[in-house]
Amino acid sequence: MNMNKIKKIYLKELLELYRDKRTLFSTILLPIILYPLIFIGASSLMQRQTQKLQEETKVVALENFDVQNYENQETIDLITNIRNGLELDENIKIYPDSTELDSLIKDGTIHAIVRLDSISTSQPNSYYFQFRYDRSDDKAEMALKELKKHMSKFEKDLLHVRVNKLSGKELDDSFLNPFHEEEVNLASSQQMMGMIMGRFLPYLLIMLLITGGAVVATDLVAGEKERKTLETLLVSAVSRNEIVVGKFLTIVTASLVNVVVNMASMYFSFKHLLSQSGVSAIGANIPVSAFVWILLSLLPVVLFFSAVLLIISTYSRNMKEARSYESPIIMVSMMLAMISMFPGFEMNIGIAFIPVINIALLFKEIMLSGVNYLHFGVTVGSTILLNIIAIYMTIKVFNTENVLFRTQTETSFKGLKKNKFQLINPGMGMLLYFVAILLMYYIGFSWQREGFVDGKVVQSKLMLGLVKSQILLLGLPVLLLVRTLYAKKKDEIQNTLFGGPAGFLRYNKTKVVNFLLIPIATIPALVIAAWLTKLVDLLFPIPENQFGALVDLMSGQDAPLHILILVIAVVPAIFEEALFRGLLPRFFEKKGVWLSIIATGVMFAIFHLDVYKIIPISLLGIWLGYLLYSTKSIFSPMLAHFLNNAVGILLAQSFIPLEMINKYLEGTNVMSISVLIAAIAIFVGVNALIYKINNGFEKIEEVN
């Protein structure tokens, strides 16, 4: 590549970008104006409104406070003291009536009700008060706070009277208040600023980085497609690689400028916010070293999202389509970046490998306690690895003619009658997958929750919920969709693509030797999965109760073993495989067999909605996909899936002694390491033999 040509493309795009006054205003001037208005103005407005609420009169009602209804002198004195004390508060007005109080709360006539609910007959008396208010009303919430403050004082006065009666003399207040507390904040102004900015800065920076880069990336390729100027650039003397690198650097530069300007404006706004909150802002400056470390850790993230956004823009036919693809990226990143706002989340080696979350918590760590070089290295290193993949894909997409100039194809349900098999594409596959997740989440889990009564597992109800979920939410939709694709006369079915519904789902005969080799490979697969689970537990400690319900289901005595195997092993092996190895691979395999295997394997893991099991279940899903394409039959992954679940049941039922398993798997001694190495060797060897016996992967038919 010619660096001089790349420079010309880069400068051309920058000039066009910042020549637009709207871009200058939105990326540079707006942040400088906006953040002081948001932080300083909002803070001042909040303080003023809080003070206004405190000064406004709150109307409260006293229920069962009529002294004529009581004979005990202490009770009469207490009621009188409470009424007199509240009347002395100029911000509280006592409502004179005591009927239909709840309706008066709803229409805002009164803000809170104090009811003397009951009095204990034991000596000394105990008084039970009930507070009723509308929590959605800010004024009512403020009234409750003031009432509780007064009630605390009245309680202390009553205690004072009781103690004086018991002792026979007037005691000093220190008798009831022996503790005198004083809070001293040892955190410096800089640490306080770091605490505040450490929670919000990562989220804001990541969001600004993505949204700012998305605006530029959308215009650079998708925008040029709309304006019909991309073709002119492509026929120039500049190569495609030089064009894509120049555009990529433009997005990176614009994102960095946007982030730095926003960061500077936020810094001064936060500093003013600290001073408004009563914390001295003197010396509250971000150290130059911290600023440098944040920028260094930010650069790989900028490169990554710039590449991703450029891929989206290149793939999209127009700016509208690009924005629709960018929305999920922004939403997911937003949710991951919010982790910095949650208390108790701290950086560790495991989190350092998770995209977006690692950067958010690294920023927070730098702001609060400085740089941990190990965390910094792992975070930046893992992000750089993602960058290499993303940049490679960017260049490849930009050099792929049928992607760069993608034409409109009919993939909607409207075009189903014309050519149903046009729907067999990755986009439609992802849509069906998300529908399956939503069905399982909203309907399937509600069926399964019926098996939990008062915190205990009712096996019969839980198993019924599992069976209903598998058959009605997984199996039935697959059957209906395939029958829709093959809605033809019976004599025509066998002549259609993939040989009819059975062929489409690969319900094909396979060699008997496959059913002998798969059980041999299952045990080492389970050993490898167990080691992966140990690795996950090391990086992200798994809660002890994480697998409690499943273990209780598999080890309980309420159901015989054959019923457990039927529900937990046979049913999922049939219906989950129908979806993940029967239907979904057809939507991805046109892009490549390995893409289909890996994509459906990871989707299979995510479908279980258990973050701690994603890695081992992904391994299982990828292996099941490998078996599908090697043996050309769905019966092979069904058998492997069944054996995996059945072994889990046998372990839970103690048919296989756990002591023996732990002896060979726990720890890092020579024996356990040897078992792992042997398992990997056997697993690889058996699967290589399956591949060879079946003459390699199935040849994928072209879908027209």
Side-chain angles (χ1 to χ4, degrees), residues 247-277:
K247 289 182 178 291
F248 172 71
L249 293 176
T250 304
I251 301 171
V252 171
T253 303
S255 299
L256 283 174
V257 169
N258 189 33
V259 167
V260 170
V261 171
N262 279 275
M263 191 174 174
S265 182
M266 277 190 288
Y267 163 70
F268 289 109
S269 300
F270 269 119
K271 190 171 181 178
H272 186 82
L273 190 64
L274 275 179
S275 65
Q276 280 192 334
S277 63

Side-chain angles (χ1 to χ4, degrees), residues 164-183:
N164 287 341
K165 283 184 179 180
L166 289 173
S167 63
K169 61 180 180 179
E170 186 74 22
L171 295 174
D172 190 79
D173 285 343
S174 62
F175 185 84
L176 291 176
N177 299 288
F179 287 5
H180 299 276
E181 300 175 354
E182 179 186 6
E183 291 185 6

Side-chain angles (χ1 to χ4, degrees), residues 13 64 67 84 178 183 197 202 264 346 349 355 371 385 394 399 416 432 470 485 527 538 547 558 560 670 676:
E13 299 293 357
N64 293 342
V67 294
N84 293 338
E183 291 185 6
M197 295 188 72
E346 297 180 354
I349 295 298
V371 182
L385 181 61
T394 304
N399 280 278
L416 193 61
L432 293 173
Q470 293 282 328
L485 290 173
V527 173
L538 180 65
F547 309 125
D558 296 342
V670 175
L676 174 63

Side-chain angles (χ1 to χ4, degrees), residues 316-364:
S316 303
R317 288 182 286 262
N318 50 56
M319 295 178 69
K320 182 180 178 181
E321 184 179 348
R323 292 192 184 99
S324 67
Y325 292 145
E326 289 164 358
S327 295
I329 301 290
I330 294 173
M331 291 293 293
V332 171
S333 301
M334 179 179 69
M335 290 186 288
L336 294 177
M338 286 178 67
I339 199 76
S340 64
M341 298 183 183
F342 299 158
F345 280 93
E346 297 180 354
M347 191 66 169
N348 58 45
I349 295 298
I351 290 177
F353 286 98
I354 305 177
V356 183
I357 291 178
N358 54 7
I359 293 295
L361 291 182
L362 181 64
F363 285 3
K364 184 177 180 180

Side-chain angles (χ1 to χ4, degrees), residues 363-648:
F363 285 3
K364 184 177 180 180
E365 184 179 64
I366 292 173
M367 295 299 302
L368 289 173
S369 56
V371 182
N372 181 309
Y373 296 106
L374 178 60
H375 293 166
F376 178 86
V378 175
T379 300
V380 172
S382 61
T383 309
I384 288 174
L385 181 61
L386 289 176
N387 288 343
I388 294 171
I389 298 171
I391 293 170
Y392 169 77
M393 290 179 63
T394 304
I395 294 173
K396 185 174 181 180
V397 167
F398 204 84
N399 280 278
T400 306
E401 200 76 24
N402 60 350
V403 174
L404 185 62
F405 296 107
R406 195 164 55 92
T407 57
Q408 180 72 35
T409 56
E410 181 60 74
T411 57
S412 65
F413 285 105
K414 184 180 178 181
L416 193 61
K417 292 183 179 180
K418 299 177 183 177
N419 187 352
K420 299 173 185 178
F421 288 97
Q422 286 287 350
L423 295 175
I424 309 301
N425 60 75
M428 189 58 64
M430 290 300 299
L431 176 61
L432 293 173
Y433 171 68
F434 285 121
V435 168
I437 287 183
L438 292 175
L439 288 173
M440 186 62 69
Y441 182 79
Y442 287 106
I443 301 176
F445 284 0
S446 65
W447 289 340
Q448 294 169 31
R449 277 193 294 269
E450 294 174 1
F452 297 90
V453 180
D454 298 329
K456 296 182 180 179
V457 176
V458 181
Q459 274 194 321
S460 58
K461 291 185 177 180
L462 181 55
M463 287 192 292
L464 179 61
L466 289 169
V467 172
K468 285 165 61 179
S469 301
Q470 293 282 328
I471 296 176
L472 299 179
L473 303 182
L474 299 184
L476 184 60
V478 170
L479 176 63
L480 291 175
L481 181 61
V482 175
R483 292 304 301 176
T484 301
L485 290 173
Y486 288 91
K488 297 187 178 184
K489 296 179 181 179
K490 291 183 179 180
D491 58 348
E492 296 179 6
I493 285 179
Q494 295 303 319
N495 298 321
T496 56
L497 193 62
F498 305 121
F504 186 84
L505 296 175
R506 291 188 175 88
Y507 283 92
N508 306 321
K509 295 180 181 179
T510 189
K511 298 179 179 179
V512 176
V513 69
N514 293 324
F515 298 113
L516 300 176
L517 293 174
I518 288 171
I520 298 174
T522 300
I523 299 302
L526 290 170
V527 173
I528 297 169
W531 270 87
L532 287 174
T533 304
K534 284 176 57 178
L535 179 61
V536 171
D537 187 42
L538 180 65
L539 297 176
F540 312 99
I542 302 174
E544 292 183 3
N545 62 347
Q546 181 67 25
F547 309 125
L550 183 60
V551 172
D552 290 343
L553 174 64
M554 293 192 298
S555 61
Q557 302 301 318
D558 296 342
L561 179 62
H562 67 278
I563 296 297
L564 286 174
I565 290 178
L566 175 65
V567 173
I568 301 174
V570 175
V571 172
I574 294 173
F575 294 102
E576 287 184 11
E577 291 307 301
L579 175 64
F580 287 98
R581 250 62 60 182
L583 182 66
L584 288 179
R586 290 298 191 187
F587 291 85
F588 296 92
E589 60 193 18
K590 189 178 177 182
K591 301 293 182 180
V593 168
W594 276 110
L595 174 65
S596 177
I597 291 173
I598 295 172
T600 54
V602 174
M603 290 161 68
F604 177 66
I606 295 173
F607 181 80
H608 287 77
L609 299 177
D610 189 337
V611 66
Y612 298 102
K613 295 168 68 176
I614 282 180
I615 294 178
I617 295 181
S618 292
L619 170 69
L620 174 64
I622 291 170
W623 179 48
L624 295 177
Y626 174 87
L627 292 176
L628 174 75
Y629 285 105
S630 294
T631 64
K632 292 85 173 175
S633 171
I634 197 174
F635 295 118
S636 299
M638 280 184 174
L639 174 62
H641 195 153
F642 163 77
L643 291 172
N644 174 79
N645 292 8
V647 170

